[in-house]
Short mmCIF file of all heavy atoms in Angstrom, two decimals:
data_model
loop_
_atom_site.label_atom_id
_atom_site.label_comp_id
_atom_site.label_asym_id
_atom_site.label_seq_id
_atom_site.Cartn_x
_atom_site.Cartn_y
_atom_site.Cartn_z
N PHE A 898 -19.36 36.84 6.29
CA PHE A 898 -20.10 38.08 6.58
C PHE A 898 -20.00 39.07 5.42
O PHE A 898 -20.92 39.86 5.20
CB PHE A 898 -19.59 38.69 7.88
CG PHE A 898 -20.14 38.00 9.09
CD1 PHE A 898 -19.40 37.02 9.75
CD2 PHE A 898 -21.42 38.29 9.57
CE1 PHE A 898 -19.91 36.37 10.86
CE2 PHE A 898 -21.93 37.65 10.67
CZ PHE A 898 -21.18 36.67 11.32
N ALA A 923 -23.50 28.23 10.07
CA ALA A 923 -22.43 28.56 9.13
C ALA A 923 -21.19 29.06 9.87
O ALA A 923 -20.06 28.70 9.52
CB ALA A 923 -22.92 29.62 8.14
N TYR A 932 -10.45 25.05 13.38
CA TYR A 932 -10.00 24.29 14.55
C TYR A 932 -9.43 22.93 14.15
O TYR A 932 -8.39 22.50 14.69
CB TYR A 932 -11.16 24.07 15.52
CG TYR A 932 -10.73 23.23 16.71
CD1 TYR A 932 -10.08 23.82 17.79
CD2 TYR A 932 -10.92 21.86 16.72
CE1 TYR A 932 -9.63 23.04 18.85
CE2 TYR A 932 -10.47 21.08 17.77
CZ TYR A 932 -9.84 21.68 18.83
OH TYR A 932 -9.38 20.91 19.88
N PHE A 948 8.84 12.63 20.58
CA PHE A 948 9.88 11.70 20.16
C PHE A 948 11.26 12.26 20.46
O PHE A 948 12.14 11.56 20.98
CB PHE A 948 9.74 11.42 18.65
CG PHE A 948 8.86 10.25 18.32
CD1 PHE A 948 7.60 10.14 18.86
CD2 PHE A 948 9.28 9.27 17.45
CE1 PHE A 948 6.78 9.08 18.56
CE2 PHE A 948 8.47 8.20 17.13
CZ PHE A 948 7.21 8.10 17.69
N GLY A 991 -25.77 14.26 8.11
CA GLY A 991 -25.99 15.28 9.13
C GLY A 991 -27.34 15.97 9.06
O GLY A 991 -28.07 16.04 10.06
N TYR A 993 -30.08 15.02 8.04
CA TYR A 993 -31.21 14.11 8.26
C TYR A 993 -31.41 13.77 9.74
O TYR A 993 -32.44 13.16 10.08
CB TYR A 993 -31.03 12.83 7.46
CG TYR A 993 -31.08 13.04 5.97
CD1 TYR A 993 -29.90 13.16 5.23
CD2 TYR A 993 -32.29 13.15 5.30
CE1 TYR A 993 -29.93 13.36 3.85
CE2 TYR A 993 -32.34 13.36 3.92
CZ TYR A 993 -31.15 13.47 3.21
OH TYR A 993 -31.19 13.68 1.85
N VAL A 998 -36.17 18.40 9.63
CA VAL A 998 -35.44 17.87 8.48
C VAL A 998 -35.99 18.52 7.20
O VAL A 998 -37.19 18.44 6.94
CB VAL A 998 -35.60 16.34 8.38
CG1 VAL A 998 -34.87 15.82 7.15
CG2 VAL A 998 -35.06 15.68 9.65
N PRO A 999 -35.15 19.18 6.41
CA PRO A 999 -35.63 19.80 5.16
C PRO A 999 -36.15 18.73 4.20
O PRO A 999 -35.73 17.56 4.25
CB PRO A 999 -34.39 20.49 4.60
CG PRO A 999 -33.44 20.60 5.76
CD PRO A 999 -33.72 19.43 6.64
N LEU A 1022 -15.65 19.41 6.35
CA LEU A 1022 -15.50 19.14 7.77
C LEU A 1022 -15.54 17.64 8.06
O LEU A 1022 -14.78 17.14 8.89
CB LEU A 1022 -16.61 19.84 8.55
CG LEU A 1022 -16.40 21.31 8.86
CD1 LEU A 1022 -17.66 21.90 9.50
CD2 LEU A 1022 -15.22 21.51 9.79
N LEU A 1025 -12.18 16.23 7.22
CA LEU A 1025 -11.15 16.66 8.18
C LEU A 1025 -11.33 15.97 9.52
O LEU A 1025 -10.34 15.63 10.20
CB LEU A 1025 -11.20 18.17 8.35
CG LEU A 1025 -10.69 19.00 7.17
CD1 LEU A 1025 -10.82 20.49 7.46
CD2 LEU A 1025 -9.24 18.65 6.84
N LEU A 1046 11.26 0.78 22.65
CA LEU A 1046 12.66 1.17 22.42
C LEU A 1046 13.29 1.80 23.66
O LEU A 1046 14.48 2.16 23.61
CB LEU A 1046 12.74 2.16 21.25
CG LEU A 1046 12.26 1.66 19.89
CD1 LEU A 1046 12.37 2.76 18.84
CD2 LEU A 1046 13.06 0.43 19.45
N PRO A 1060 6.80 12.50 29.38
CA PRO A 1060 6.37 12.97 28.06
C PRO A 1060 5.23 12.14 27.45
O PRO A 1060 4.41 12.68 26.71
CB PRO A 1060 7.64 12.86 27.21
CG PRO A 1060 8.76 13.06 28.19
CD PRO A 1060 8.28 12.37 29.43
N ILE A 1073 -11.33 17.11 22.86
CA ILE A 1073 -12.36 17.82 23.61
C ILE A 1073 -12.59 19.21 23.03
O ILE A 1073 -13.72 19.71 23.01
CB ILE A 1073 -11.97 17.91 25.10
CG1 ILE A 1073 -11.95 16.51 25.71
CG2 ILE A 1073 -12.92 18.81 25.87
CD1 ILE A 1073 -11.38 16.45 27.11
N GLY A 1075 -12.66 20.15 20.01
CA GLY A 1075 -13.59 20.10 18.90
C GLY A 1075 -15.03 20.14 19.37
O GLY A 1075 -15.88 20.83 18.78
N GLY A 1113 1.95 1.21 25.83
CA GLY A 1113 3.26 0.57 25.80
C GLY A 1113 4.06 0.81 27.06
O GLY A 1113 4.73 -0.10 27.57
N VAL A 1116 2.77 -1.38 29.88
CA VAL A 1116 3.26 -2.76 29.80
C VAL A 1116 4.69 -2.85 30.30
O VAL A 1116 5.06 -3.78 31.06
CB VAL A 1116 3.15 -3.27 28.35
CG1 VAL A 1116 3.84 -4.63 28.21
CG2 VAL A 1116 1.69 -3.37 27.94
N ARG A 1134 11.75 -15.39 50.60
CA ARG A 1134 11.62 -16.81 50.90
C ARG A 1134 12.94 -17.40 51.36
O ARG A 1134 13.00 -18.16 52.35
CB ARG A 1134 11.11 -17.55 49.66
CG ARG A 1134 9.61 -17.38 49.40
CD ARG A 1134 9.14 -18.36 48.33
NE ARG A 1134 9.71 -18.03 47.03
CZ ARG A 1134 9.13 -17.21 46.14
NH1 ARG A 1134 7.97 -16.64 46.44
NH2 ARG A 1134 9.71 -16.96 44.99
N LEU A 1154 14.10 -6.65 52.65
CA LEU A 1154 13.42 -7.16 51.46
C LEU A 1154 11.91 -6.91 51.53
O LEU A 1154 11.29 -6.57 50.52
CB LEU A 1154 13.70 -8.66 51.30
CG LEU A 1154 15.11 -9.02 50.85
CD1 LEU A 1154 15.35 -10.52 50.98
CD2 LEU A 1154 15.32 -8.58 49.39
N VAL A 1164 4.39 1.44 43.41
CA VAL A 1164 4.70 2.09 42.14
C VAL A 1164 3.48 2.03 41.22
O VAL A 1164 2.88 0.96 41.02
CB VAL A 1164 5.91 1.42 41.46
CG1 VAL A 1164 6.13 1.98 40.06
CG2 VAL A 1164 7.17 1.62 42.30
N ILE A 1171 -1.77 13.38 40.06
CA ILE A 1171 -2.98 14.13 40.32
C ILE A 1171 -3.14 15.30 39.36
O ILE A 1171 -4.25 15.69 39.00
CB ILE A 1171 -2.99 14.62 41.80
CG1 ILE A 1171 -4.34 15.23 42.16
CG2 ILE A 1171 -1.87 15.61 42.03
CD1 ILE A 1171 -5.49 14.27 42.07
N TYR A 1174 -5.18 14.39 36.26
CA TYR A 1174 -6.63 14.32 36.47
C TYR A 1174 -7.23 15.71 36.61
O TYR A 1174 -8.34 15.96 36.13
CB TYR A 1174 -6.92 13.48 37.72
CG TYR A 1174 -6.48 12.04 37.60
CD1 TYR A 1174 -5.39 11.55 38.32
CD2 TYR A 1174 -7.16 11.17 36.75
CE1 TYR A 1174 -4.99 10.23 38.19
CE2 TYR A 1174 -6.75 9.84 36.63
CZ TYR A 1174 -5.68 9.38 37.35
OH TYR A 1174 -5.28 8.08 37.22
N GLY A 1196 -26.81 36.88 23.00
CA GLY A 1196 -27.60 37.87 23.73
C GLY A 1196 -27.16 39.28 23.40
O GLY A 1196 -28.00 40.19 23.26
#
Side-chain angles (χ1 to χ4, degrees):
F898 281 98
Y932 177 82
F948 270 50
Y993 294 98
V998 178
L1022 278 173
L1025 289 179
L1046 299 179
I1073 294 171
V1116 172
R1134 283 192 292 269
L1154 287 169
V1164 173
I1171 189 62
Y1174 297 109

